[in-house]
């Protein structure tokens, strides 16, 4: 049937064996050109999507390497905090906290890098980018929890020290 259609197009006949009119030939030519253009667009979109997926894969590999590097540095780290005017603790911006702060900064930069990777309307690219964003956000959330845990340890030990000081001043010690 395909051979018959090709022969018909070449011989100005339809697939049924009847001669085609000039209008039918023009429509067929337009359809062929549209198919060609759509095929070229789809090929370009596929190439662009593949390029974006490669970039996303590289960012994800970079994230994994960064996580390994900083997790080793932070495993035994004790963060330092300073009290603001109202007495609330906040993370100090000092040399002791530099690795922690650098880790947060690098993760933020990776999020910006992800924003620069176009999806080209491809759902697979969007889904992959979203997965990498969630992975980065989970890591940032874990860092926030790490800092909050250390802050609560300090706050808890300060409260305990206050209670012990009160007890010792009462002569219970």
């Amino acid at each position: 049937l395909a051979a018959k259609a090709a022969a018909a197009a070449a011989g100005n006949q339809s697939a049924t064996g009847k001669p085609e009119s000039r209008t039918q030939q023009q429509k067929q030519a337009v359809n062929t050109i549209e198919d060609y253009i759509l095929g070229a667009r789809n090929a370009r979109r596929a190439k662009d999507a593949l390029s974006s997926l490669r970039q996303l894969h590289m960012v994800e590999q970079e994230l994994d390497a960064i996580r390994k590097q900083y997790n080793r540095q932070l495993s035994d780290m004790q963060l330092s905090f300073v009290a603001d005017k109202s007495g609330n603790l906040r993370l100090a911006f000092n040399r002791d906290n530099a690795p922690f702060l650098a880790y947060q900064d690098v993760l933020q930069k990776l999020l910006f890098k992800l924003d620069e990777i176009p999806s080209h309307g491809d759902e697979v690219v969007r889904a992959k980018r979203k997965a990498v964003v969630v992975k980065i956000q989970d890591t940032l959330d874990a860092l926030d929890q790490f800092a909050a845990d250390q802050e609560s340890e300090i706050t808890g030990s300060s409260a305990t020290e206050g209670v012990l000081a009160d007890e010792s001043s009462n002569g219970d010690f």
Side-chain angles (χ1 to χ4, degrees), residues 63-74 103 106:
L63 171 63
D64 291 340
I66 289 167
R67 287 173 68 182
K68 284 179 186 176
Q69 173 192 350
Y70 280 102
N71 285 342
R72 272 187 253 120
Q73 287 181 343
L74 298 180
Y103 192 12
V106 168

Side-chain angles (χ1 to χ4, degrees), residues 100-160:
F100 180 84
L101 297 168
Y103 192 12
Q104 287 181 321
D105 186 55
V106 168
L107 293 173
Q108 291 292 334
K109 286 179 181 175
L110 282 180
L111 285 174
F112 291 133
K113 199 181 246 188
L114 287 174
D115 284 342
E116 295 173 357
I117 300 174
S119 69
H120 303 287
D122 189 276
E123 289 302 317
V124 174
V125 174
R126 285 185 183 140
K128 180 64 175 177
R129 185 171 51 204
K130 183 177 181 179
V132 177
V133 166
V134 166
K135 200 172 179 180
I136 292 171
Q137 287 175 332
D138 288 347
T139 305
L140 285 167
D141 290 344
L143 285 174
D144 288 343
Q145 187 61 49
F146 177 75
D149 290 346
Q150 287 204 10
E151 179 184 346
S152 67
E153 285 177 17
I154 292 170
T155 305
S157 66
S158 296
T160 305

